[in-house]
Amino acid sequence: MASSISNSAVAFTGATASDLLRSSKSCGVSGIPLRTLGKARFSVKTRDLSVVAKARKVKKHEYPWPADPDPNVKGGVLTHLSHFKPHKEKPKPVTLDFEKPLVALEKKIIDVRKMANETGLDFSDQIALLESKYQQALKDLYTHLTPIQRVNIARHPNRPTFLDHIFSITEKFVELHGDRAGYDDPAIVTGIGTIDGRRYMFMGHQKGRNTKENIMRNFGMPTPHGYRKALRMMYYADHHGFPIVTFIDTPGAYADLKSEELGQGEAIAHNLRTMFGLKVPIVSIVIGEGGSGGALAIGCANKLLMLENAVFYVASQFGGYDILLWQRAHTAIGEMTVYFRVALTCHDSPVDWDYYPEACAAILWKTAKAAPKAAEKLKITGPELCKLQIADGIIPEPLGGAHADPSWTSQQIKKAINETMDELKKMDTEALLKHRMLKFRKIGGFQEGVPVDPIRKVNMKKKEEPITRKTPVLELEDEVEKLKEQISKAKESSSKPTELALNEMIEKLKKEIDLEYSEAVEAIGLKDRLLNLREECAKANSQDHLMHPVLMDKIEKLHDEFNKGLPTVPNYASLKYKLGMLKEFSKAKCALEKKSKGEELKLDIDKKIKEVMDRPEIKEKMQALKAEVQKSGASNAADLDVGTRESISKMKKEIQLELANVLKSMDLDVEIVTAKKLIDDGLKGKVESLREETNKKIENLMNSSDLKNTIQLLKLEVAKAGKTPDVASKKKIEALEQQIRQKLATAMNSSEIKSKHEELLAEIALESNGSLKNDLKAGTPKNDESRVEINLGANRSFT
């Protein structure tokens, strides 16, 4: 486009373009827009004045709007404007240091599958076993994470970002840009979206999913423009009545010189003041790491929720504006001061107090390697912050972290948002503001040197018992092998150190088996029924009632159902292994105890025999007897006369009686064995067979439901009666005992054992002149009764 101006020569010395444009009307310029003239290039000729205006070629603005936009796209047609597009390919897997043991198992599975494909052989059982081990190892690892491991998961490169969650949980979402002050910070994303038909204002820190995106998003570290954009959207949501949901995932606010010059601390403090006055519900969710004031600038909410592996800490590496932030927050909120274990820093201070784990470790322990210890002391994980009442709830993550299943994690977040908003929407505006104020008012209120009054001490939370950690099977196998080596060596040497190690292992295995059984009950789905049954049993015991047969049937049914479902639970292999180890070590312990008791008993018996033989009267008699034998001149026992033999026999009986009395005083059963005719081996075998059959019959009778219930009632009655039962309790116990005796006698008299017993007695009478008959009568049931000893507890038994 070009136009010419006809006029006399004009001197342009000292004149500006605006002066020329103001005088364009008088100069005869017509048909030229002022905007065009503003971009025009002027050329001046000495003869005639001519102005030439040319359009500057600029690059056409490339909107991310496709040529044929799909109107039915998820989130609405305006989502085509978003720069954030989901990745078509899965991100490259990243293995954290503590996950390396899992990689070895995963590699084994891949190798076996590859071998199966190459050879055509069936390795399905081996693959299933390896996968089961992998899942168990993964569960053991991720259910007992340390704080520093949670920090590493929160910083995982593949962890889902704010927009990943937003596009997963919302039906429609429109991103809103700009702080209306000259800049749009990509590190904070804001927008309006709907969840289940409800409209919310969303805002959150946005990290990148790769290096290029991280540079564009400034690694999720906002500048003052980002916080002012969030502030603008807060006012917008408050005006239109939209509830606010913020997502926190930042190492902290950006700490460069330009941000300081633009008022980073002032922008954060302004957000803090504003959020405490907003009349709409606010929910904040920490999805990764929440660093200091950079997180609090959008985190002053009615409810603060955290993902299971998220962390929230002070990261005051930003110089002096942390003091400014908290001073302004104090002024804005009035006399309320919020303390979040904040490190106060100052430009004039030579020390920069950093409280994220690595920097804290470097300051306190002079090495970043102490970061695990620092992370534990700082109490920055979700469970610890819930105990301190800073966080209000934990949103679960899948095994392996949120990046293992982002979609499932997003749905958990959606569920938490709906539940929390339902709770907050029941409050009116005044209650909502008061709730938000009190949440922060109660944090960090401690007074040193002031004793706690008794009323508050009574209501204080009791100290929680430490969580028992289940030992991984591989680690337990190593401990078991070491202990087995110690036991094998101890057979040749002293067993005292081995006994201690064995007792520790047995106690550990018992705890491990309790945990395994609890896990199995939960896996089968019997946890609620078991708890209800425990309550019923506790109620019956507290009311001093006998256990009802219906309740006993419930217990039996639950026991049978559990035994049937036990082989199908995921941890059955580890439970079976631990039970086997417990049985084996218990046998080893019994053997060691028997060996130890046997040695001690032998020493005690030797000592007692020596004491008896060293008695003066025994020594005198022994010496007199020796002198008598020497006088007789006999060379062997056959040459002794009758009187000397009788003296020796008498002396022997006296010593035997003395020794028997001493051994009986040690609670030992003593029998003086005399020579007698050997019993025929065939008859002896028949006697033993009848004894075993009799014992088996008695055992079956004891386990029958009718007799078992009666015995259980008897045990309960004895336990309730205690050591000093009253008359009514004695009568009940005697009646139950008589009932058991009658049932046993009836069952034994009606069985085949009675006839077998009589036949064997007749056979023994013919062949052994009654010598075996006496033994049989002493060891087997009589014709009319059976002997059964029942342990009733409390040092009592019933025969």
Side-chain angles (χ1 to χ4, degrees):
M1 179 186 295
S3 296
S4 61
I5 303 174
S6 300
N7 206 335
S8 58
V10 181
F12 285 91
T13 308
T16 62
S18 59
D19 295 334
L20 292 174
L21 291 174
R22 286 195 203 99
S23 60
S24 61
K25 189 174 181 180
S26 62
C27 294
V29 179
S30 60
I32 304 172
L34 290 177
R35 184 176 294 176
T36 304
L37 283 175
K39 298 177 180 178
R41 294 183 299 173
F42 292 96
S43 61
V44 181
K45 296 182 181 179
T46 55
R47 295 182 181 179
D48 297 321
L49 173 66
S50 63
V51 178
V52 180
K54 292 184 178 181
R56 180 169 60 90
K57 290 182 179 180
V58 296
K59 187 176 181 180
K60 185 179 179 182
H61 186 71
E62 295 178 355
Y63 287 98
W65 193 279
D68 51 344
D70 180 11
N72 298 319
V73 69
K74 184 180 182 299
V77 71
L78 291 179
T79 55
H80 288 294
L81 289 172
S82 176
H83 295 281
F84 185 87
K85 304 296 179 187
H87 281 309
K88 294 181 181 178
E89 298 178 357
K90 287 186 177 180
K92 186 178 178 181
V94 178
T95 303
L96 301 174
D97 288 339
F98 68 90
E99 293 177 320
K100 287 179 181 177
L102 297 174
V103 176
L105 279 173
E106 201 169 3
K107 188 176 182 299
K108 281 183 183 179
I109 295 171
I110 294 168
D111 291 342
V112 174
R113 281 179 177 163
K114 186 178 178 182
M115 189 185 299
N117 293 332
E118 290 175 353
T119 59
L121 298 174
D122 184 15
F123 289 100
S124 56
D125 292 340
Q126 289 86 340
I127 292 171
L129 181 62
L130 286 171
E131 286 179 345
S132 175
K133 279 188 176 180
Y134 177 83
Q135 290 298 326
Q136 188 63 38
L138 182 69
K139 187 174 181 180
D140 290 342
L141 181 63
Y142 271 86
T143 50
H144 304 97
L145 290 169
T146 61
I148 195 64
Q149 288 172 346
R150 293 191 189 276
V151 172
N152 292 331
I153 295 171
R155 296 171 178 171
H156 198 284
N158 297 337
R159 193 170 178 84
T161 63
F162 164 57
L163 286 175
D164 286 317
H165 291 305
I166 286 297
F167 285 118
S168 181
I169 66 177
T170 58
E171 295 90 32
K172 293 183 179 180
F173 178 74
V174 180
E175 185 177 345
L176 302 176
H177 299 269
D179 63 346
R180 297 297 184 267
Y183 191 72
D184 179 32
D185 186 0
I188 283 190
V189 175
T190 59
I192 300 174
T194 58
I195 298 178
D196 295 340
R198 295 179 180 178
R199 191 175 287 107
Y200 298 99
M201 173 64 75
F202 294 99
M203 57 188 70
H205 302 97
Q206 177 63 29
K207 287 183 177 180
R209 297 168 293 180
N210 51 45
T211 305
K212 184 178 179 181
E213 284 190 14
N214 267 322
I215 292 171
M216 191 266 284
R217 300 284 182 182
N218 198 29
F219 295 87
M221 295 186 290
T223 62
H225 299 286
Y227 293 119
R228 288 174 182 135
K229 175 169 71 171
L231 181 66
R232 184 173 76 86
M233 299 307 165
M234 290 176 195
Y235 283 130
Y236 184 88
D238 192 47
H239 177 75
H240 292 282
F242 298 154
I244 297 172
V245 182
T246 69
F247 287 72
I248 296 170
D249 186 15
T250 179
Y254 195 44
D256 68 332
L257 182 61
K258 188 70 176 176
S259 296
E260 293 280 6
E261 290 175 350
L262 292 173
Q264 184 75 286
E266 185 274 337
I268 294 173
H270 198 172
N271 279 25
L272 292 177
R273 180 186 66 181
T274 303
M275 290 188 81
F276 279 100
L278 297 176
K279 299 174 183 177
V280 293
I282 306 174
V283 175
S284 292
I285 303 170
V286 185
I287 59 174
E289 53 180 339
S292 194
L296 283 174
I298 59 170
C300 293
N302 293 93
K303 293 284 185 178
L304 176 67
L305 307 177
M306 295 181 69
L307 284 182
E308 189 178 350
N309 295 318
V311 290
F312 200 26
Y313 51 74
V314 172
S316 58
Q317 70 271 31
F318 312 132
Y321 72 81
D322 263 352
I323 290 179
L324 175 65
L325 181 157
W326 291 104
Q327 287 175 344
R328 287 180 181 273
H330 177 78
T331 305
I333 301 167
E335 292 305 317
M336 171 185 165
T337 308
V338 183
Y339 295 99
F340 256 103
R341 295 197 308 280
V342 175
L344 299 179
T345 61
C346 180
H347 287 299
D348 299 331
S349 174
V351 179
D352 192 16
W353 288 43
D354 299 295
Y355 274 77
Y356 55 93
E358 293 83 359
C360 177
I363 293 169
L364 297 180
W365 290 283
K366 310 302 179 186
T367 174
K369 291 181 180 179
K373 187 177 180 181
E376 185 179 352
K377 297 294 182 185
L378 286 172
K379 307 203 180 294
I380 56 179
T381 60
E384 293 290 348
L385 292 174
C386 282
K387 289 179 185 176
L388 294 170
Q389 297 184 343
I390 293 172
D392 299 295
I394 297 174
I395 302 173
E397 292 186 29
L399 293 176
H403 53 280
D405 193 348
S407 178
W408 187 87
T409 308
S410 298
Q411 293 310 307
Q412 298 302 310
I413 292 174
K414 179 179 178 180
K415 181 182 176 183
I417 291 172
N418 285 333
E419 290 176 356
T420 309
M421 284 298 178
D422 288 341
E423 180 185 347
L424 294 177
K425 283 187 176 180
K426 295 177 184 177
M427 303 181 187
D428 56 20
T429 304
E430 186 178 351
L432 198 68
L433 292 171
K434 188 175 181 181
H435 176 273
R436 198 179 305 149
M437 182 270 291
L438 290 176
K439 170 181 168 52
F440 287 85
R441 189 68 181 257
K442 68 182 179 183
I443 294 172
F446 300 101
Q447 287 181 299
E448 294 184 2
V450 179
V452 180
D453 59 327
I455 298 174
R456 284 187 60 195
K457 192 177 287 186
V458 168
N459 297 326
M460 285 176 73
K461 188 177 179 182
K462 293 182 179 179
K463 185 179 179 181
E464 295 183 0
E465 294 183 2
I467 299 171
T468 309
R469 175 178 172 269
K470 196 168 76 170
T471 308
V473 176
L474 295 174
E475 184 180 333
L476 193 62
E477 285 177 354
D478 293 339
E479 293 181 15
V480 166
E481 290 301 323
K482 289 178 182 176
L483 185 56
K484 284 182 178 179
E485 290 178 6
Q486 290 181 18
I487 292 171
S488 61
K489 291 178 182 177
K491 290 178 180 179
E492 303 171 0
S493 60
S494 175
S495 61
K496 285 291 179 185
T498 309
E499 281 186 26
L500 294 174
L502 195 58
N503 291 333
E504 288 177 3
M505 176 57 73
I506 288 172
E507 290 300 320
K508 184 175 183 179
L509 283 171
K510 285 180 181 178
K511 291 177 182 178
E512 292 286 329
I513 289 168
D514 287 341
L515 293 173
E516 294 285 358
Y517 271 124
S518 300
E519 191 176 323
V521 168
E522 193 169 353
I524 298 171
L526 301 176
K527 185 177 180 180
D528 294 335
R529 285 176 59 189
L530 180 62
L531 293 174
N532 294 334
L533 203 56
R534 280 179 180 172
E535 289 178 3
E536 290 181 28
C537 292
K539 189 176 180 182
N541 291 333
S542 65
Q543 294 176 355
D544 291 336
H545 293 316
L546 293 175
M547 191 173 290
H548 199 276
V550 176
L551 189 58
M552 296 183 72
D553 289 340
K554 284 184 180 180
I555 295 170
E556 289 293 334
K557 286 179 183 178
L558 186 66
H559 184 260
D560 294 340
E561 193 173 341
F562 174 75
N563 287 337
K564 288 178 182 177
L566 187 60
T568 62
V569 297
N571 64 324
Y572 179 68
S574 61
L575 174 59
K576 191 175 179 182
Y577 171 76
K578 290 172 183 177
L579 283 170
M581 287 299 101
L582 180 61
K583 188 176 180 181
E584 185 178 342
F585 286 134
S586 297
K587 286 182 179 178
K589 182 183 177 183
C590 289
L592 285 174
E593 286 179 352
K594 284 181 181 178
K595 181 183 175 184
S596 177
K597 286 180 180 178
E599 289 174 355
E600 290 177 3
L601 185 61
K602 186 180 177 182
L603 292 172
D604 289 342
I605 291 172
D606 290 342
K607 186 179 178 181
K608 293 290 183 182
I609 290 173
K610 191 174 183 302
E611 288 177 0
V612 171
M613 299 305 293
D614 288 342
R615 287 179 185 175
E617 63 273 15
I618 298 288
K619 277 187 175 182
E620 286 177 6
K621 289 179 182 180
M622 288 291 290
Q623 287 174 0
L625 194 58
K626 283 180 182 179
E628 189 177 346
V629 171
Q630 287 174 359
K631 283 180 182 180
S632 66
S635 59
N636 53 48
D639 297 336
L640 292 173
D641 56 11
V642 177
T644 306
R645 285 181 186 178
E646 287 178 358
S647 299
I648 292 172
S649 178
K650 186 179 178 182
M651 185 66 186
K652 184 178 178 182
K653 286 180 180 179
E654 286 182 11
I655 294 172
Q656 283 179 348
L657 288 172
E658 287 292 336
L659 290 174
N661 292 331
V662 169
L663 293 177
K664 283 178 182 178
S665 67
M666 297 171 64
D667 294 330
L668 295 174
D669 293 331
V670 181
E671 181 180 358
I672 300 174
V673 181
T674 59
K676 67 178 183 176
K677 187 178 178 181
L678 294 175
I679 301 171
D680 181 72
D681 291 340
L683 291 176
K684 188 175 180 181
K686 289 180 182 180
V687 172
E688 291 298 329
S689 176
L690 183 59
R691 283 178 180 172
E692 289 177 5
E693 191 175 350
T694 305
N695 291 334
K696 191 173 181 181
K697 179 68 177 175
I698 291 171
E699 188 178 350
N700 291 335
L701 288 172
M702 296 286 288
N703 290 329
S704 64
S705 59
D706 186 21
L707 196 58
K708 192 174 182 180
N709 291 341
T710 310
I711 292 170
Q712 288 291 339
L713 291 174
L714 178 60
K715 286 183 179 181
L716 285 172
E717 196 61 41
V718 169
K720 288 178 181 178
K723 294 182 178 179
T724 56
D726 53 13
V727 178
S729 297
K730 283 182 179 178
K731 287 182 179 180
K732 284 183 182 179
I733 292 169
E734 288 173 0
L736 288 170
E737 287 177 353
Q738 187 61 30
Q739 190 177 349
I740 293 169
R741 285 194 187 97
Q742 288 176 357
K743 287 180 180 179
L744 282 172
T746 305
M748 293 299 294
N749 286 331
S750 62
S751 65
E752 298 177 357
I753 295 176
K754 184 178 179 182
S755 58
K756 288 182 180 180
H757 179 259
E758 291 174 352
E759 292 173 2
L760 191 57
L761 279 176
E763 187 177 352
I764 291 168
L766 292 173
E767 296 189 13
S768 62
N769 296 323
S771 62
L772 188 62
K773 186 176 181 179
N774 295 328
D775 292 342
L776 181 66
K777 285 184 177 180
T780 56
K782 294 182 182 179
N783 293 344
D784 58 346
E785 67 176 17
S786 302
R787 284 184 66 83
V788 182
E789 186 172 348
I790 302 169
N791 182 17
L792 301 176
N795 297 323
R796 292 192 58 173
S797 63
F798 158 56
T799 304

